[in-house]
């Protein structure tokens, strides 16, 4: 994950985040600005209206000369209309950017996607007619300009001029009048203290697609759904995990202070540190030596929940990219860890992580739902089932989830989670402990999933957790069903944990 290179952000198997690509396309008819002059570009559109194809060209104008605004508009075309993952699309776009522009392109791309629903609503309120679908890049360029105005990172007039210039770079000079009119009107709204979102539906104000907001409202209520939307649209912190055996947190904070890197301890993890500003890991003291890793605070709680001790056989069943595997071995070097992942390429990331930390695990490429293909028959004392999920708890780190995930993805995801749980349970010894984890904030994948598992397996019970984080989940019969963690502004991500003990 490029965003701050956060280990937790990268700690989501691709299977979790891969949405059903290309299912939905932005459909637009004619365009024009409300209250503006008749669109002078309408006649030109017939001569030059090939925006969708032009948006994908990387050979004109010269890539090194493209502005950040033009590059971000093309990035949005690839993610929103073509259903590509942000990681993949951004990697290509950054190769086209000037080195001095790459940080800005990345930041703008993430911010537009985090606030996408609100920006689209604002744009559509400003337009008299939608922008033609074949000129999708222009429609996205308006979003880029609105985000620059909303974020107030520069004078509004400079944002307008830069966006208008980007239209020319992308081969759409016919759209300069439209962009100029729309963005200047938006800037006036801000200057006059108007709230463009005052009439927006609740889902738009929460910056969520309708289906997701409806799910969260059903699970947690409208007020909590709105608060979750605010948290998931915020910029996440870059959080570090201190290995602990050779470096304690207080000492490492002193090291950071000595190198002018501002940081504070995390609220809940005794090993966590939040950086005031994200930076490249190459600048982190002791990162190369494996004494510190980038990992969200909520992900750090795994090692405590597993209650590890020497000589235990431990299975990390969906291990890539290996952040939690590394954390286990650094927390208790005496355990024997088997790390399984279905993807060979992603298993290479596990190996890289372990090598950096100078620890060793048995690595197996296999399907967690089909252990008969790789299990040696000896039971495990501990199992981590960090299963594929909707990743709705980490949307701020992966805002393309909102564009790529669909409501009908949930049923097959839940079926996959149940199959993994059922397949792994026989591998756990009697008296052993399995930790079920997701980075989801949807009840269907979490407490409801565990309740159904307990119903299927009478020899299982969910243990209460004596922790200060999260909200304990219970069913009507009073059974504890784990703890739900909501994302916190300036804090940890959204997560869910259940600790399952075998009779």
């Amino acid at each position: 994950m490029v965003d701050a290179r956060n280990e937790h952000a990268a700690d989501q198997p691709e299977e979790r985040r891969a949405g059903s690509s290309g299912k939905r396309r932005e459909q637009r008819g004619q365009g024009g600005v409300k209250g503006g002059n008749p669109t002078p570009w309408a006649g030109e559109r017939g001569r030059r209206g090939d925006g969708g194809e032009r948006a994908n060209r990387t050979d004109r104008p010269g890539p090194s000369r493209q502005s950040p605004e033009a590059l971000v508009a093309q990035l949005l075309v690839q993610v929103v209309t073509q259903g590509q993952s942000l990681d993949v699309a951004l990697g290509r776009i950054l190769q086209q950017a000037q080195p001095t522009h790459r940080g800005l392109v990345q930041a703008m791309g993430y911010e537009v996607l985090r606030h996408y629903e609100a920006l689209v609503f604002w744009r559509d309120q400003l337009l008299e007619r939608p922008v033609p679908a074949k000129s999708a890049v222009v429609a996205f360029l308006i979003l880029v300009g609105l985000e620059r105005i909303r974020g107030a990172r520069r004078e509004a007039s400079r944002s307008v001029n830069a966006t208008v210039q980007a239209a020319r770079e992308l081969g759409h000079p016919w759209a300069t009048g439209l962009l100029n009119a729309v963005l200047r009107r938006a800037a006036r709204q801000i200057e006059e203290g108007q709230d463009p979102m005052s009439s927006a539906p609740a889902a738009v104000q929460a910056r969520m697609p309708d289906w997701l907001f409806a799910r969260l409202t059903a699970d947690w209520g409208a007020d909590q759904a709105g608060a979750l939307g605010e948290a998931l649209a915020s910029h996440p912190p870059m959080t570090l995990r201190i290995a602990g055996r050779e470096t304690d947190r207080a000492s490492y904070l002193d090291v950071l202070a000595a190198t002018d890197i501002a940081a504070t301890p995390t609220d809940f993890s005794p090993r966590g540190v939040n950086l005031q500003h994200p930076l490249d890991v190459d600048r982190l003291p002791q990162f190369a030596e494996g004494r510190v890793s980038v990992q969200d605070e909520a992900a750090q709680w795994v090692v405590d929940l597993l209650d590890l001790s020497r000589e235990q056989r431990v299975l990390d069943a969906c291990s890539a990219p290996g952040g939690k595997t590394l954390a286990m071995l650094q927390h208790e070097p005496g355990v024997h860890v088997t790390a399984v992942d279905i993807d060979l390429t992603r298993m290479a990331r596990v190996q890289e992580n372990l090598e950096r930390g100078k620890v060793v695990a048995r690595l197996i490429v296999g399907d967690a739902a089909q252990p008969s293909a790789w299990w040696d028959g000896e039971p495990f004392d501990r199992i981590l089932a960090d299963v594929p999920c909707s990743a709705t708890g980490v949307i701020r780190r992966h805002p393309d989830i909102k564009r790529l995930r669909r409501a009908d993805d949930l049923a097959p995801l839940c079926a996959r989670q149940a199959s993994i749980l059922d397949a792994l349970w026989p591998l756990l010894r009697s008296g052993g402990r399995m930790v079920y984890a997701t980075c989801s904030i949807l009840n269907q994948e979490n407490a409801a999933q565990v309740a159904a598992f307990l119903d299927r397996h009478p020899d299982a019970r969910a243990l209460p957790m004596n922790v200060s984080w999260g909200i304990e989940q219970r069913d009507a019969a009073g059974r504890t069903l784990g703890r739900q963690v909501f994302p916190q502004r300036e804090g940890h991500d959204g997560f869910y944990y259940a600790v399952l003990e075998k009779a």
Side-chain angles (χ1 to χ4, degrees):
M1 185 62 191
V2 182
D3 187 25
R5 298 183 66 175
N6 185 292
E7 178 62 25
H8 174 62
D11 209 357
Q12 315 308 316
E14 193 67 25
E15 188 176 356
R16 289 183 188 172
R17 294 186 283 105
S20 49
S21 60
K23 287 184 178 178
R24 188 169 59 187
R25 301 285 186 269
E26 280 217 337
Q27 298 297 324
R28 297 293 183 221
Q30 299 298 305
V33 59
K34 284 183 179 177
N37 296 323
T39 52
W41 42 274
E44 294 184 28
R45 187 175 61 247
R47 299 191 298 272
R48 312 196 60 169
D50 57 349
E53 294 180 3
R54 286 171 185 268
N56 294 323
R57 292 181 181 176
T58 58
D59 58 342
R60 191 176 61 184
S64 64
R65 294 202 300 262
Q66 292 188 74
S67 65
E69 287 79 4
L71 291 169
V72 174
Q74 294 172 84
L75 174 70
L76 294 170
V77 169
Q78 295 176 27
V79 172
V80 178
T81 69
Q82 298 175 1
Q84 299 180 23
S85 79
L86 179 56
D87 286 358
V88 173
L90 184 61
R92 286 195 299 266
I93 289 293
L94 290 181
Q95 290 178 359
Q96 303 172 45
Q98 296 180 36
T100 54
H101 288 166
R102 286 172 185 163
L104 178 59
V105 169
Q106 176 175 314
M108 287 170 59
Y110 271 85
E111 283 300 286
V112 171
L113 288 169
R114 287 187 184 117
H115 298 275
Y116 183 83
E117 292 79 8
L119 294 172
V120 168
F121 177 84
W122 192 9
R123 178 194 66 191
D124 293 349
Q125 296 299 304
L126 294 166
L127 287 172
E128 187 177 70
R129 298 181 297 278
V131 174
K134 61 185 178 181
S135 301
V137 72
V138 173
F140 289 123
L141 200 50
I142 297 175
L143 301 186
V144 176
L146 291 175
E147 171 55 30
R148 297 286 271 170
I149 292 170
R150 184 200 69 83
R153 296 180 181 86
R154 56 161 64 167
E155 292 179 9
S157 60
R158 291 182 61 197
S159 297
V160 174
N161 294 338
T163 310
V164 169
Q165 176 58 32
R168 296 190 180 96
E169 295 175 23
L170 292 167
H172 294 277
W174 56 267
T176 56
L178 173 69
L179 283 160
N180 195 60
V182 167
L183 297 180
R184 290 195 183 281
R185 185 179 177 205
R188 284 197 300 273
Q189 289 180 337
I190 298 300
E191 290 171 1
E192 294 169 359
Q194 299 180 38
D195 180 6
M197 293 296 104
S198 60
S199 61
V204 171
Q205 296 198 28
R207 300 150 180 101
M208 289 185 189
D210 291 340
W211 74 267
L212 179 56
F213 186 77
R215 289 267 183 174
L216 291 173
T217 299
D219 286 351
W220 312 113
D223 289 346
Q224 185 63 64
L228 287 169
E230 290 290 331
L232 292 173
S234 66
H235 192 283
M238 183 174 178
T239 305
L240 310 180
R241 177 182 59 79
I242 313 304
R245 292 278 175 171
E246 299 177 353
T247 306
D248 64 76
R249 180 166 69 176
S251 298
Y252 192 72
L253 284 167
D254 290 340
V255 171
L256 291 176
T259 52
D260 293 327
I261 298 175
T264 56
T266 53
D267 291 335
F268 302 102
S269 170
R271 296 168 286 274
V273 167
N274 281 331
L275 299 184
Q276 184 172 343
H277 302 291
L279 49 77
D280 195 291
V281 293
D282 294 335
R283 291 184 53 203
L284 282 175
Q286 303 176 15
F287 178 82
E289 294 84 356
R291 296 179 181 177
V292 60
S293 297
V294 183
Q295 188 176 48
D296 180 72
E297 183 183 22
Q300 297 181 25
W301 300 331
V302 161
V303 293
D304 296 318
L305 297 177
L306 283 168
D307 188 27
L308 301 172
S309 59
R310 290 186 61 81
E311 304 303 328
Q312 285 179 335
R313 280 174 50 84
V314 181
L315 172 64
D316 187 353
C318 304
S319 61
K324 296 183 184 67
T325 314
L326 175 61
M328 291 180 207
L329 287 161
Q330 289 184 322
H331 180 75
E332 178 45 80
V335 296
H336 306 283
V337 176
T338 299
V340 175
D341 200 88
I342 197 170
D343 188 293
L344 174 62
T345 302
R346 289 172 55 77
M347 184 56 85
R349 292 284 312 280
V350 179
Q351 181 65 40
E352 291 172 7
N353 260 316
L354 300 186
E355 287 177 354
R356 185 177 61 83
K358 300 177 179 60
V359 294
V360 177
R362 182 185 180 210
L363 305 186
I364 296 175
V365 177
D367 186 349
Q370 299 183 26
S372 60
W374 49 263
W375 184 39
D376 61 7
E378 187 174 349
F380 292 97
D381 301 288
R382 298 287 185 268
I383 295 177
L384 172 60
D386 187 11
V387 298
C389 71
S390 64
T392 42
V394 294
I395 281 176
R396 58 184 179 173
R397 299 188 192 278
H398 305 279
D400 53 331
I401 290 170
K402 294 193 295 181
R403 306 274 62 82
L404 303 180
R405 186 69 73 197
R406 299 291 184 269
D408 56 10
D409 293 336
L410 290 180
L413 267 176
C414 290
R416 171 78 170 155
Q417 292 156 6
S419 69
I420 291 174
L421 279 171
D422 290 346
L424 294 178
W425 192 244
L427 279 59
L428 187 67
R429 72 165 175 81
S430 177
R433 175 178 291 195
M434 175 190 288
V435 171
Y436 175 74
T438 76
C439 54
S440 167
I441 51 176
L442 298 176
N443 183 65
Q444 185 178 354
E445 299 178 276
N446 299 334
Q449 182 72 269
V450 169
F453 175 81
L454 295 177
D455 291 342
R456 295 194 302 272
H457 298 274
D459 60 342
R461 71 178 182 117
L463 300 179
M465 295 180 232
N466 183 25
V467 295
S468 57
W469 45 260
I471 303 169
E472 185 174 37
Q473 305 297 294
R474 289 184 176 275
D475 63 10
R479 294 184 303 183
T480 182
L481 299 174
R483 294 184 80 86
Q484 181 65 59
V485 180
F486 293 135
Q488 305 292 308
R489 291 179 69 93
E490 307 298 330
H492 55 71
D493 287 336
F495 245 86
Y496 170 84
Y497 285 111
V499 180
L500 305 170
E501 185 180 65
K502 194 170 189 177

